[in-house]
Amino acid sequence: MKVLVIGGGGREHAIVWKLAQSKKVEKIYCCPGNAGISELAECVDISVNDHEGLVNFAKYEWIDMTIVGPEAPLSKGIVDVFEKRGLRIMGPTKAAAEIEASKVFAKEFMKKYNIPTAEYRVFTSYLHAEEYVRMKGAPIVIKADGLAAGKGVIVAKTVDEAIEALKKIMKERVFGDAGERVVVEECLTGEEASYLVFTDGDTILPMASSQDHKRVFDNDEGPNTGGMGAYSPAPVVTPEVEEKIIEKVMKPAIRGLKREGRKYRGVLYAGLMIKEGEPYVLEFNCRFGDPETQPLLTRLNTDLLEIAMAITEGRLSTMMLEWKPEASVCVVAASGGYPGSYEKGKPIKGLDRVKELEDVVVFHAGTAFKDGQIVTSGGRVLGVTALGKDIRQARDRAYQALGMIEFEGMHYRKDIGLKALKR
Ligand code: AMP
Ligand code: GLY
């Protein structure tokens, strides 16, 4: 079969890497892809937001299956476009993807279906929002309703910080229309975990648990990023917690979306706060996580193309997932300055040496070719991912590999996976 993967980050490299192991896959295309992906797939320079270009390409190349990485094309309805043209694609429709694309929709949906989440209020008026924040006090969380490239959530430690966030979002409109409505919510404490499931809208197949590291510096300090590293499994998700996530979060979400006429097919991701053994939903995402996908897919034994086929054919109940018992740790190497502004085009050294290591895969996130060399081309550059008999060994292997890689300005967190060891 011919498969098209849409996206060009570390998550998409992991998806392509996994698909390349399937006996059923003859050829993989990736739009737009990156330098690492180009070793396994033919990269075609079509933007993830050019739906017309992508669907025409898929028609022309007789693509049998398309898998979408990022949220932007999903929330703009790429699945609807492909399905209308008779093409098979794994992912939620525009209506179903609203669970990520609108935080107001997600919160109201959770309230309606009794899914545990932080207490909240929705505001369209700046003055009312300010008044509410002053009444509630800090810490408090401000969220722009729409997609804001991961920057639309501010966990404010003080009332002043919260008000500044409200001003930026509602008055200055730094996120454009995404800030027309704002969710102000209670600040939850506990330990975060990511929980992803495959679903065809009826059956739910849970993936292994994982944990992301959102802040740029060690000990969860500094500003939020797209994610500086992840590991799987996450010990905070004990079997009891997992049961609660499935019963109190995933089942009501999938059933509720179906009841709302927004049947959900694809990967549903719940970002959770686990507090005293109880899961609370911080957000839903309508896709694979990045970087969680890197440790997850390195642990998955089951053929990803077969899962995708079963989802699109509505027969996920016939599948079982098999996981490697090993743990997996992914450490992200980022460009100097990230998540702020950074330079691109820095040559990356050491990638060939790391290829010789067993149990280590380097997923490329922001890389490109320049004059025959692999150079940096994004904020998150690489996701060095290793398997080990436990988190400790996987961590040691990932950091050993990272020590062999070099580019100007490279920085990474030294504490990925440490929380798992402290438990
Ligand atoms: P979100 O995009 O909603 O997941 O928010 C990004 C990050 O902000 C989360 O991963 C949490 O670290 C933090 N966050 C979001 N909502 C809350 C909340 N209600 N309480 C505490 N932290 C939160
Ligand atoms: N790792 C966070 C996300 O994918 O949204």
Side-chain angles (χ1 to χ4, degrees):
M1 285 191 173
K2 287 165 107 177
V3 189
L4 168 63
V5 176
I6 295 176
R11 162 183 53 207
E12 288 77 21
H13 192 181
I15 293 170
V16 166
W17 173 86
K18 183 69 191 152
L19 287 169
Q21 293 162 23
S22 167
K23 289 194 182 70
K24 298 203 167 112
V25 173
E26 287 159 43
K27 165 117 192 164
I28 309 172
Y29 294 92
C30 189
C31 297
N34 62 37
I37 292 175
S38 72
E39 290 180 10
L40 300 167
E42 186 175 329
C43 293
V44 183
D45 196 14
I46 306 176
S47 155
V48 302
N49 293 313
D50 177 5
H51 296 188
E52 216 26 53
L54 291 167
V55 81
N56 287 336
F57 175 78
K59 272 278 179 199
Y60 183 78
E61 292 294 343
W62 295 83
I63 300 291
D64 299 290
M65 168 65 79
T66 298
I67 299 182
V68 189
E71 63 277 16
L74 291 166
S75 68
K76 290 191 198 118
I78 195 166
V79 169
D80 310 63
V81 171
F82 270 60
E83 285 180 346
K84 212 180 204 167
R85 296 277 294 271
L87 288 165
R88 192 192 290 272
I89 182 164
M90 188 190 91
T93 58
K94 181 177 179 174
E98 211 173 351
I99 195 85
E100 172 165 3
S102 167
K103 299 216 184 267
V104 173
F105 171 77
K107 293 298 285 190
E108 285 171 356
F109 173 81
M110 285 188 261
K111 193 169 168 189
K112 181 166 175 187
Y113 290 93
N114 250 330
I115 296 171
T117 186
E119 205 189 292
Y120 73 102
R121 288 274 299 273
V122 177
F123 294 96
T124 47
S125 138
Y126 169 79
L127 284 177
H128 290 159
E130 186 191 315
E131 195 182 6
Y132 182 73
V133 163
R134 290 198 190 280
M135 195 233 336
K136 280 284 174 184
I140 194 154
V141 183
I142 311 292
K143 298 184 171 183
D145 175 41
L147 294 179
K151 298 193 178 82
V153 175
I154 294 95
V155 181
K157 289 196 192 79
T158 62
V159 168
D160 284 349
E161 209 184 317
I163 286 174
E164 190 183 327
L166 286 176
K167 279 188 185 146
K168 283 209 165 116
I169 298 172
M170 301 186 89
K171 288 188 159 177
E172 294 166 28
R173 288 299 178 95
V174 291
F175 305 124
D177 289 348
E180 206 164 303
R181 292 188 293 178
V182 161
V183 173
V184 179
E185 84 179 26
E186 162 202 13
C187 186
L188 296 175
T189 52
E191 187 173 340
E192 284 186 52
S194 304
Y195 200 83
L196 288 76
V197 301
F198 291 109
T199 179
D200 59 8
D202 294 303
T203 299
I204 296 168
L205 275 191
M207 295 190 217
S209 59
S210 54
Q211 189 175 71
D212 188 10
H213 296 66
K214 290 223 162 75
R215 304 295 186 118
V216 67
F217 301 128
D218 286 13
N219 303 315
D220 295 330
E221 283 173 27
N224 266 333
T225 69
M228 292 298 288
Y231 62 84
S232 171
V236 65
V237 182
T238 59
E240 296 77 38
V241 171
E242 187 158 22
E243 168 97 20
K244 286 181 186 162
I245 297 171
I246 292 167
E247 294 303 323
K248 294 185 177 181
V249 176
M250 288 302 180
K251 283 188 182 170
I254 297 301
R255 283 190 198 134
L257 284 163
K258 188 176 173 187
R259 192 167 312 159
E260 299 290 314
R262 299 170 189 253
K263 190 167 179 174
Y264 194 101
R265 288 187 206 87
V267 172
L268 182 64
Y269 162 146
L272 302 161
M273 187 70 88
I274 316 292
K275 186 182 180 185
E276 291 157 11
E278 290 295 326
Y280 296 86
V281 177
L282 297 175
E283 62 166 349
F284 280 112
N285 291 323
C286 63
R287 49 169 175 85
F288 278 112
D290 191 351
E292 291 93 325
T293 302
Q294 290 80 316
L296 285 172
L297 292 188
T298 46
R299 293 189 62 215
L300 181 68
N301 278 333
T302 316
D303 186 321
L304 183 60
L305 179 66
E306 280 187 28
I307 300 169
M309 293 296 285
I311 289 173
T312 54
E313 289 169 7
R315 51 171 182 80
L316 201 57
S317 58
T318 61
M319 299 270 324
M320 290 247 291
L321 298 185
E322 236 185 79
W323 297 91
K324 287 186 178 50
E326 286 99 328
S328 184
V329 173
C330 168
V331 184
V332 170
S335 291
Y338 175 81
S341 59
Y342 52 83
E343 288 177 17
K344 297 181 185 177
K346 309 290 180 199
I348 305 171
K349 291 186 208 126
L351 290 171
D352 285 337
R353 279 179 65 210
V354 172
K355 266 197 191 130
E356 288 157 23
L357 299 178
E358 251 181 77
D359 299 311
V360 176
V361 201
V362 177
F363 293 117
H364 291 218
T367 67
F369 284 107
K370 193 172 117 193
D371 306 328
Q373 273 192 93
I374 297 184
V375 299
T376 64
S377 73
R380 291 191 289 175
V381 178
L382 304 168
V384 178
T385 309
L387 284 168
K389 67 177 188 323
D390 51 23
I391 297 273
R392 188 183 304 275
Q393 192 180 53
R395 228 182 88 78
D396 289 346
R397 286 177 176 166
Y399 280 109
Q400 188 200 351
L402 209 52
M404 295 158 72
I405 297 171
E406 218 185 312
F407 57 85
E408 194 189 310
M410 169 167 126
H411 68 98
Y412 55 87
R413 277 180 63 161
K414 313 284 186 303
D415 64 343
I416 305 299
L418 278 190
K419 260 191 215 142
L421 299 185
K422 285 191 191 127
R423 291 188 71 87

